[in-house]
Amino acid sequence: MNENVRTHSGLRKVLLLGLPVCAVLVWIAGLQTDNAIFFALGLPWLRGIPRLGILLGAVLFLIHEAIDPPWNRPWIKRWVGFFCCWYLYYLPVAAMWYPICRFTSLPEAVSAAGTAAAAVGALLVVLMGHWYAGQVRITEYTVRLTGETEYRAALFSDLHLGAYVGAEQVEKVVRAVNTLRPEVVLIAGDLLDDDNRFLEDGAATAQVSRLLRTLKAPGGVFFVPGNHDPQVEDPRFLAFLRDSGITLLHNTRLELDRFTLVGRSDAARNERTPLAKILENTAPKKPLLVLDHDPCGIPEAAAQGAALVLCGHTHAGQLFPGTLLTKWYCGRRYFYGHERFGNTQAIITSGAGVFNLPIRVGSSSEVVSLRLLL
């Protein structure tokens, strides 16, 4: 397993190389779907239409991230997302079923029944995956830093407030955090979804802000911007954070009672200051904790003597087979969980919401309970 952090450009190259294979799968799945529907309905004029539908589904799957409906019609994005999830799981099964039927001379009735079973099975996966994405589990880590005195903190990331995630999920996250009774709450980026249209809905932002203000943490609630969050100069974003009782850490160092906390902004939409510059002219006497959205920043933090780095971003792949792809291009140690990098420890959370598609398969929405020994 490659332990280095892989780049998104590397993943794109792999996907581009895989396009011919995907095109063949689409064509074969279209043939199987065409045959099954023709057998079931017996209408000659339907020939080719299901195949065209499968092809158009592939195009929709490729461009669905660009679908950007007005915020007052988020149902468009939601239904497109559900369709793409169904398509993701139906397509390979239908494509594999076609040669089995062709080369074993299975009766047409069996062939059609198998295709129908693949369609229904994919639908069940989507329904269960959507339900499971809404369940917030608590994952606990004990991290020994400098002593034996226990300090409680809570970590979550990647809510992606928008078409797929709203007040209902926020309420679950807040409830989970408050059961932990943490001293501080740390949010490792991507509060908002990619298009940031959530900020255009005053009623939605007010409702979510009221929920977030109920986070109980005497030491404060701290947040670093992720790659999908707006620029920190956006007045709507700043007002949302202020109304939510959240302290923005934009390339900032704070001296808390038990440790030094540094928050680093993701470089996708905001300036990212080198950690050495943030720490210059200071020699922290307390353990250094770095809150950073992307695990790619872990090596730099380790080089600067950080005791603990807290990240999100990966979603632990969110849904199979993305779980395997994400682990491959990130590298095992930059994917999910508790890892060591010399004297530096890192926690990478799978996030508390969903991005791009509204389901989780093979990963969980979570809040992290940190039992720090200082």
Side-chain angles (χ1 to χ4, degrees):
M1 178 70 70
N2 189 346
E3 296 297 324
N4 296 324
V5 181
R6 295 182 183 266
T7 64
H8 291 276
S9 61
L11 178 63
R12 291 192 189 100
K13 291 177 182 177
V14 172
L15 293 177
L16 286 173
L17 291 173
L19 280 177
V21 176
C22 293
V24 171
L25 290 177
V26 169
W27 181 254
I28 295 175
L31 286 174
Q32 182 60 29
T33 305
D34 203 16
N35 292 339
I37 292 179
F38 176 74
F39 174 81
L41 300 179
L43 299 175
W45 60 268
L46 273 178
R47 278 291 191 185
I49 294 179
R51 202 178 315 168
L52 179 62
I54 292 294
L55 177 61
L56 293 177
V59 174
L60 183 60
F61 186 88
L62 290 173
I63 68 169
H64 77 276
E65 286 187 66
I67 293 176
D68 192 20
W71 174 246
N72 60 359
R73 292 199 296 272
W75 60 269
I76 298 175
K77 187 172 183 178
R78 281 198 292 268
W79 281 107
V80 168
F82 284 122
F83 169 79
C84 288
C85 291
W86 173 86
Y87 189 87
L88 175 67
Y89 289 106
Y90 169 73
L91 182 76
V93 177
M96 289 186 291
W97 183 233
Y98 177 78
I100 292 174
C101 297
R102 289 281 294 179
F103 297 128
T104 59
S105 301
L106 287 176
E108 288 189 18
V110 175
S111 175
T115 307
V120 173
L123 178 61
L124 291 175
V125 169
V126 172
L127 293 175
M128 290 300 297
H130 180 62
W131 173 85
Y132 188 66
Q135 310 308 303
V136 179
R137 76 172 188 178
I138 295 175
T139 304
E140 182 167 325
Y141 299 101
T142 297
V143 182
R144 186 179 300 277
L145 297 178
T146 59
E148 299 293 337
T149 304
E150 183 177 302
Y151 185 97
R152 287 280 181 174
L155 166 72
F156 69 89
S157 74
D158 298 279
L159 265 174
H160 289 278
L161 291 163
Y164 298 143
V165 179
E168 183 179 356
Q169 187 74 356
V170 173
E171 186 174 9
K172 294 176 183 177
V173 170
V174 169
R175 189 184 308 126
V177 169
N178 287 343
T179 62
L180 303 176
R181 298 183 178 180
E183 287 294 319
V184 297
V185 175
L186 306 170
I187 306 173
D190 281 359
L191 265 178
L192 272 58
D193 208 2
D194 193 44
D195 56 19
N196 300 155
R197 288 190 178 273
F198 172 77
L199 295 174
E200 299 175 10
D201 189 327
T205 55
Q207 183 182 17
V208 169
S209 289
R210 284 194 298 270
L211 290 169
L212 290 172
R213 286 195 73 87
T214 63
L215 286 168
K216 298 175 182 177
V221 180
F222 302 99
F223 162 78
V224 294
N227 58 307
H228 293 291
D229 291 309
Q231 293 182 336
V232 295
E233 295 84 5
D234 188 328
R236 302 171 305 166
F237 188 43
L238 293 175
F240 171 66
L241 294 176
R242 182 177 62 251
D243 294 344
S244 302
I246 295 173
T247 300
L248 171 66
L249 298 182
H250 173 50
N251 302 315
T252 303
R253 182 182 74 245
L254 288 179
E255 295 295 336
L256 301 182
D257 289 343
R258 305 300 305 277
F259 54 84
T260 299
L261 177 64
V262 169
R264 303 193 66 200
S265 297
D266 192 273
R269 292 183 174 176
N270 288 285
E271 178 187 355
R272 181 173 172 87
T273 305
L275 185 55
K277 184 173 179 61
I278 299 174
L279 296 172
E280 67 182 359
N281 301 323
T282 183
K285 297 180 181 179
K286 306 169 189 175
L288 174 62
L289 272 66
V290 177
L291 185 62
D292 195 353
H293 177 64
D294 193 330
C296 287
I298 293 174
E300 183 184 357
Q304 294 297 321
L308 178 63
V309 187
L310 304 171
C311 307
H313 184 59
T314 69
H315 293 235
Q318 187 167 311
L319 73 165
F320 180 86
T323 47
L324 301 179
L325 285 172
T326 305
K327 191 172 185 178
W328 174 79
Y329 86 83
C330 285
R332 178 183 60 80
R333 301 175 69 202
Y334 299 90
F335 171 65
Y336 172 75
H338 183 192
E339 296 288 343
R340 282 187 173 272
F341 300 82
N343 294 325
T344 299
Q345 299 182 65
I347 302 290
I348 304 167
T349 176
S350 61
V354 293
F355 165 67
N356 199 1
L357 295 172
I359 69 172
R360 278 188 181 268
V361 178
S363 71
S364 301
S365 300
E366 71 176 9
V367 165
V368 173
S369 172
L370 293 172
R371 181 172 172 260
L372 306 178
L373 299 180
L374 298 165

